[in-house]
Amino acid sequence: MIEVYAFATPNSVKVLVALEELGLAYDLKAVNVRKGEQREEAFLSLNPNGKVPVLVDDSLVLTESAAILVYLAEKTGRFLPTSGAARARVFEQLFFHASALSPAFGNAGFFKRSSPEPQPIAEARFTAEAERILGLLDNKLFTQTFVAGDEFTIADIAHFGWLWRLQFPGLTLDSHPNLSRWYEAVMARPAIQRAIARVESLVPAA
């Protein structure tokens, strides 16, 4: 059975969403990043980079959420077109997520909530960049149903991870009606609800 090492993080939830959407059985193992368990030797033997999620499928140990999404899509033949422009559009959004959306959101949240000393210039820079990216996605979704076209794909799953944790960088969708419509449609999917419930169950009760 597939094993997933994860916590309630934007990158972890992506993998659980994919598994739930694809109907694949998996064993979920908690790695409490708040307690530093991602830096313990046992976990570093799986991912020397010390980050969740990690997927183990037989002899394959795979890190990086986007790579895991591609692997699962190709394993099942779903949520990733097999060729042509439609496939290229999905990868375009995956790379946009990895190079733009994820670092902007993560850094905006860090400088707003976690920096040991106030860094107003950095906070303003990354917050402005995150807002710009929300605008780009909103414009794209004006003419299409999903982020890579008119079909739900792993690109939507990738973006959903950080949109689900929008409060961390202190952002809202109030001025982005197309993105709000997309988010509400994705959140309504039963697999999304199951994935969120499972990933949130990894957080110990206070």
Side-chain angles (χ1 to χ4, degrees):
M1 179 183 290
I2 292 173
E3 295 179 340
V4 180
Y5 294 79
F7 199 60
T9 68
N11 289 327
S12 291
V13 77
K14 302 172 194 174
V15 175
L16 272 63
V17 167
L19 289 164
E20 293 289 345
E21 286 280 357
L22 295 167
L24 295 173
Y26 61 98
D27 184 15
L28 184 58
K29 298 181 179 294
V31 180
N32 191 331
V33 300
R34 297 176 186 173
K35 294 183 176 180
E37 291 177 359
Q38 74 278 19
R39 295 188 292 272
E40 294 179 359
E41 184 176 349
F43 183 76
L44 291 174
S45 68
L46 294 172
N47 184 7
N49 197 30
K51 293 184 178 183
V52 291
V54 173
L55 180 139
V56 180
D57 189 8
D58 293 328
S59 61
L60 175 67
V61 179
L62 192 59
T63 67
E64 298 299 327
S65 59
I68 294 171
L69 292 180
V70 173
Y71 171 75
L72 293 173
E74 292 187 332
K75 179 183 178 76
T76 59
R78 296 180 62 197
F79 301 135
L80 177 62
T82 57
S83 63
R87 183 179 177 88
R89 290 300 181 196
V90 173
F91 278 99
E92 179 182 47
Q93 286 300 309
L94 290 177
F95 296 149
F96 173 70
H97 182 88
S99 67
L101 191 153
S102 183
F105 280 40
N107 281 306
F110 172 81
F111 287 111
K112 184 168 292 187
R113 297 177 180 274
S114 305
S115 178
E117 295 182 4
Q119 301 286 342
I121 294 176
E123 180 184 336
R125 175 190 176 188
F126 287 112
T127 299
E129 177 64 3
E131 288 282 8
R132 186 185 72 86
I133 288 167
L134 290 179
L136 290 175
L137 288 174
D138 191 69
N139 288 339
K140 181 173 288 293
L141 288 163
F142 178 73
T143 58
Q144 59 195 49
T145 306
F146 296 104
V147 297
D150 289 322
E151 300 293 333
F152 181 82
T153 68
I154 56 173
D156 296 284
I157 297 174
H159 287 332
F160 174 79
W162 265 114
L163 272 293
W164 172 61
R165 282 291 187 244
L166 202 64
Q167 74 277 10
F168 179 68
L171 303 171
T172 75
L173 300 182
D174 293 346
S175 59
H176 305 291
N178 305 306
L179 190 53
S180 294
R181 182 267 308 158
W182 169 88
Y183 183 76
E184 291 172 4
V186 173
M187 273 293 289
R189 296 173 73 94
I192 300 285
Q193 297 296 320
R194 293 194 300 271
I196 291 172
R198 291 209 66 182
V199 81
E200 288 184 337
S201 74
L202 300 178
V203 180

